[in-house]
Short mmCIF file of all heavy atoms in Angstrom, two decimals:
data_model
loop_
_atom_site.label_atom_id
_atom_site.label_comp_id
_atom_site.label_asym_id
_atom_site.label_seq_id
_atom_site.Cartn_x
_atom_site.Cartn_y
_atom_site.Cartn_z
N PHE A 163 12.82 14.64 -39.41
CA PHE A 163 12.66 13.43 -40.21
C PHE A 163 11.44 13.48 -41.04
O PHE A 163 10.57 14.31 -40.78
CB PHE A 163 12.86 12.16 -39.35
CG PHE A 163 11.63 11.84 -38.51
CD1 PHE A 163 10.67 10.96 -38.91
CD2 PHE A 163 11.46 12.58 -37.28
CE1 PHE A 163 9.60 10.63 -38.06
CE2 PHE A 163 10.44 12.22 -36.40
CZ PHE A 163 9.51 11.26 -36.82
N ASN A 164 11.42 12.76 -42.18
CA ASN A 164 10.33 12.97 -43.01
C ASN A 164 10.02 11.72 -43.85
O ASN A 164 10.80 10.70 -43.88
CB ASN A 164 10.60 14.10 -44.00
CG ASN A 164 12.01 13.82 -44.77
OD1 ASN A 164 12.07 12.98 -45.64
ND2 ASN A 164 12.98 14.57 -44.33
N PHE A 165 8.93 11.70 -44.59
CA PHE A 165 8.54 10.65 -45.49
C PHE A 165 7.61 11.18 -46.57
O PHE A 165 6.83 12.10 -46.36
CB PHE A 165 7.99 9.45 -44.74
CG PHE A 165 6.99 9.74 -43.77
CD1 PHE A 165 5.54 9.81 -44.16
CD2 PHE A 165 7.23 9.95 -42.52
CE1 PHE A 165 4.53 10.07 -43.15
CE2 PHE A 165 6.30 10.20 -41.52
CZ PHE A 165 4.96 10.28 -41.93
N LYS A 166 7.80 10.63 -47.72
CA LYS A 166 6.98 11.08 -48.87
C LYS A 166 6.15 9.81 -49.38
O LYS A 166 6.65 8.82 -49.70
CB LYS A 166 7.93 11.58 -50.01
CG LYS A 166 7.10 12.14 -51.14
CD LYS A 166 8.08 12.96 -52.08
CE LYS A 166 9.03 12.04 -52.80
NZ LYS A 166 9.78 12.86 -53.84
N ILE A 167 4.92 10.16 -49.72
CA ILE A 167 3.95 9.14 -50.36
C ILE A 167 3.72 9.63 -51.69
O ILE A 167 3.28 10.71 -51.95
CB ILE A 167 2.63 9.09 -49.45
CG1 ILE A 167 2.90 8.87 -48.02
CG2 ILE A 167 1.78 7.94 -49.99
CD1 ILE A 167 1.72 8.93 -47.15
N THR A 168 3.91 8.71 -52.64
CA THR A 168 3.72 9.02 -54.09
C THR A 168 2.68 8.12 -54.61
O THR A 168 2.36 7.07 -54.18
CB THR A 168 5.03 8.90 -54.90
OG1 THR A 168 5.54 7.38 -54.78
CG2 THR A 168 6.10 9.79 -54.42
N PHE A 169 1.96 8.60 -55.69
CA PHE A 169 0.87 7.97 -56.30
C PHE A 169 1.15 7.73 -57.76
O PHE A 169 1.02 8.61 -58.65
CB PHE A 169 -0.41 8.73 -56.06
CG PHE A 169 -0.67 9.03 -54.60
CD1 PHE A 169 -0.10 10.06 -54.12
CD2 PHE A 169 -1.46 8.20 -53.89
CE1 PHE A 169 -0.28 10.43 -52.74
CE2 PHE A 169 -1.77 8.47 -52.53
CZ PHE A 169 -1.22 9.67 -52.00
N ASN A 170 1.35 6.41 -58.16
CA ASN A 170 1.79 6.20 -59.60
C ASN A 170 0.49 5.97 -60.52
O ASN A 170 0.64 6.12 -61.76
CB ASN A 170 2.74 4.98 -59.67
CG ASN A 170 2.02 3.66 -59.21
OD1 ASN A 170 1.30 3.65 -58.29
ND2 ASN A 170 2.28 2.65 -59.80
N GLU A 171 -0.58 5.57 -59.85
CA GLU A 171 -1.81 5.31 -60.71
C GLU A 171 -2.78 6.42 -60.63
O GLU A 171 -3.28 6.85 -61.61
CB GLU A 171 -2.42 4.03 -60.28
CG GLU A 171 -1.63 2.74 -60.61
CD GLU A 171 -1.75 2.37 -62.11
OE1 GLU A 171 -2.81 2.84 -62.69
OE2 GLU A 171 -0.85 1.81 -62.66
N SER A 172 -3.18 6.84 -59.44
CA SER A 172 -4.27 7.82 -59.26
C SER A 172 -3.77 9.26 -59.45
O SER A 172 -4.66 10.21 -59.50
CB SER A 172 -4.88 7.67 -57.82
OG SER A 172 -3.96 7.73 -56.89
N ASN A 173 -2.51 9.53 -59.59
CA ASN A 173 -2.02 10.83 -59.95
C ASN A 173 -2.45 11.85 -59.09
O ASN A 173 -2.72 13.08 -59.32
CB ASN A 173 -2.59 11.15 -61.46
CG ASN A 173 -1.72 12.36 -62.08
OD1 ASN A 173 -0.55 12.45 -61.71
ND2 ASN A 173 -2.40 13.10 -62.79
N LEU A 174 -2.27 11.58 -57.72
CA LEU A 174 -2.50 12.53 -56.67
C LEU A 174 -1.19 13.29 -56.49
O LEU A 174 -0.12 12.78 -56.64
CB LEU A 174 -3.02 11.85 -55.39
CG LEU A 174 -4.37 11.03 -55.43
CD1 LEU A 174 -4.72 10.41 -54.17
CD2 LEU A 174 -5.50 11.85 -56.02
N PRO A 175 -1.27 14.50 -55.92
CA PRO A 175 0.00 15.16 -55.51
C PRO A 175 0.65 14.44 -54.31
O PRO A 175 -0.12 13.76 -53.53
CB PRO A 175 -0.50 16.55 -54.88
CG PRO A 175 -1.88 16.62 -55.57
CD PRO A 175 -2.50 15.31 -55.75
N ASP A 176 1.94 14.40 -54.25
CA ASP A 176 2.65 13.72 -53.28
C ASP A 176 2.27 14.20 -51.83
O ASP A 176 2.06 15.45 -51.69
CB ASP A 176 4.24 13.99 -53.33
CG ASP A 176 4.83 13.39 -54.66
OD1 ASP A 176 4.15 12.53 -55.26
OD2 ASP A 176 5.94 13.82 -55.03
N PHE A 177 2.20 13.25 -50.97
CA PHE A 177 1.99 13.71 -49.45
C PHE A 177 3.47 13.64 -48.88
O PHE A 177 4.00 12.67 -48.83
CB PHE A 177 1.17 12.58 -48.74
CG PHE A 177 -0.34 12.64 -49.18
CD1 PHE A 177 -0.80 13.51 -50.15
CD2 PHE A 177 -1.24 11.84 -48.48
CE1 PHE A 177 -2.18 13.52 -50.42
CE2 PHE A 177 -2.58 11.92 -48.77
CZ PHE A 177 -3.00 12.70 -49.74
N PHE A 178 3.89 14.81 -48.55
CA PHE A 178 5.16 14.89 -47.93
C PHE A 178 5.09 15.46 -46.57
O PHE A 178 4.76 16.54 -46.24
CB PHE A 178 6.07 15.84 -48.72
CG PHE A 178 7.50 16.05 -48.23
CD1 PHE A 178 8.42 14.92 -48.40
CD2 PHE A 178 7.91 17.15 -47.52
CE1 PHE A 178 9.75 15.05 -47.96
CE2 PHE A 178 9.25 17.24 -47.03
CZ PHE A 178 10.12 16.14 -47.25
N TYR A 179 5.44 14.53 -45.46
CA TYR A 179 5.39 14.83 -44.17
C TYR A 179 6.75 15.18 -43.66
O TYR A 179 7.67 14.37 -43.79
CB TYR A 179 4.72 13.70 -43.30
CG TYR A 179 3.23 13.54 -43.59
CD1 TYR A 179 2.73 12.79 -44.59
CD2 TYR A 179 2.42 14.03 -42.61
CE1 TYR A 179 1.41 12.62 -44.71
CE2 TYR A 179 0.95 13.88 -42.65
CZ TYR A 179 0.54 13.16 -43.79
OH TYR A 179 -0.79 12.95 -43.99
N GLN A 180 6.93 16.28 -42.93
CA GLN A 180 8.25 16.59 -42.44
C GLN A 180 7.99 16.91 -40.89
O GLN A 180 7.22 17.79 -40.52
CB GLN A 180 8.83 17.90 -43.03
CG GLN A 180 10.12 18.17 -42.59
CD GLN A 180 10.96 19.18 -43.42
OE1 GLN A 180 10.23 19.90 -44.14
NE2 GLN A 180 12.22 19.19 -43.43
N HIS A 181 8.74 16.21 -40.03
CA HIS A 181 8.66 16.32 -38.58
C HIS A 181 9.77 16.95 -37.94
O HIS A 181 10.95 16.65 -38.18
CB HIS A 181 8.32 15.02 -37.97
CG HIS A 181 7.13 14.32 -38.65
ND1 HIS A 181 5.77 14.77 -38.33
CD2 HIS A 181 6.98 13.34 -39.55
CE1 HIS A 181 5.01 13.98 -39.04
NE2 HIS A 181 5.72 13.19 -39.74
#
Side-chain angles (χ1 to χ4, degrees):
F163 71 101
N164 56 71
F165 45 90
K166 182 170 68 172
I167 306 172
T168 58
F169 303 87
N170 64 323
E171 287 286 334
S172 54
N173 196 30
L174 303 180
D176 295 344
F177 287 6
F178 182 74
Y179 288 83
Q180 186 172 19
H181 303 284

